[in-house]
Amino acid sequence: MASRIGAHRIRGRDRSVVLLTGESHGIAVPRSARNWADNATADEVIGFRGGPMIEVLEGFGDNIAAYACHRHVTKTDYETVLIPDIDEKLKRHEKVRIYYEIAADFGGVDPGAVWEDTKVGFSHFLRWERFAVVSDVEWINHTVKLFSFLMPGEFRVFPTADAGQAREWIAQTQG
């Protein structure tokens, strides 16, 4: 098994996704997949074996870090997709908003990914302005609500059916 994993942002016809290439989660992903993905929709890329576990969502303001979590999220997904994206946003903005959407195909999260999430959250503690979590996964909803009092800024959980409302709320001007 190769030890190198590459993360490539691919702008599909409808939105941008990140495709992991190399050996990812024990699944070999050919480099030629990038060429195929250039003409694919994001949903087709996500459905591809070895596709991204964290999808960077487009169509949000530059101060909003927006993600959809798919299948089984790992520490590597945080290190190659989420953390670099958040770091870039924090270079451009004093405060950043977070939008997490837990996709229907979500299957869980590794402890290493939870630890990375905790480290990111606390290392930029005073720079979070607002959090929206969109999920129908009960344990995630309960966990988020339980620990939301620890985080600065506003925090809301929305059911998947209200994803549009969550997107509006995360983008609203505070006042």
Side-chain angles (χ1 to χ4, degrees):
M1 213 183 256
S3 61
R4 297 189 64 184
I5 296 174
H8 306 278
R9 181 177 286 243
I10 298 172
R11 298 215 181 267
R13 289 190 314 251
D14 60 342
R15 57 189 166 168
S16 175
V17 296
V18 174
L19 176 68
L20 298 178
T21 58
E23 288 290 330
S24 171
H25 314 288
I27 301 170
V29 181
R31 290 190 180 277
S32 61
R34 285 182 291 177
N35 296 331
W36 163 79
D38 287 339
N39 294 310
T41 65
D43 289 335
E44 289 167 336
V45 173
I46 291 164
F48 178 72
R49 271 187 74 179
M53 303 305 129
I54 297 178
E55 174 189 5
V56 178
L57 299 175
E58 301 289 327
F60 290 82
D62 191 57
N63 67 324
I64 300 170
Y67 310 100
C69 296
H70 298 273
R71 298 188 191 128
H72 195 86
V73 176
T74 67
K75 177 182 177 184
T76 301
D77 297 319
Y78 268 79
E79 293 171 339
T80 59
V81 179
L82 188 136
I83 293 171
D85 188 62
I86 285 179
D87 286 345
E88 284 301 311
K89 292 193 180 300
L90 288 169
K91 287 178 186 176
R92 295 188 300 271
H93 301 280
E94 183 59 33
K95 298 263 187 182
V96 172
R97 297 173 180 201
I98 305 292
Y99 176 91
Y100 278 120
E101 193 171 288
I102 307 303
D105 64 349
F106 178 75
V109 60
D110 281 351
V114 173
W115 178 242
E116 289 303 310
D117 189 65
T118 302
K119 287 187 335 188
V120 168
F122 284 108
S123 66
H124 305 294
F125 189 73
L126 297 176
R127 298 191 63 193
W128 308 125
E129 183 176 29
R130 186 177 271 193
F131 298 85
V133 176
V134 177
S135 171
D136 288 335
V137 180
E138 286 301 315
W139 71 265
I140 289 178
N141 296 349
H142 291 302
T143 303
V144 167
K145 288 176 184 174
L146 179 67
F147 291 103
S148 65
F149 78 94
L150 293 172
M151 299 303 287
E154 297 178 75
F155 215 109
R156 289 196 48 198
V157 177
F158 297 84
T160 302
D162 293 340
Q165 182 183 352
R167 288 171 181 247
E168 289 175 15
W169 180 79
I170 200 72
Q172 281 178 353
T173 304
Q174 286 181 307

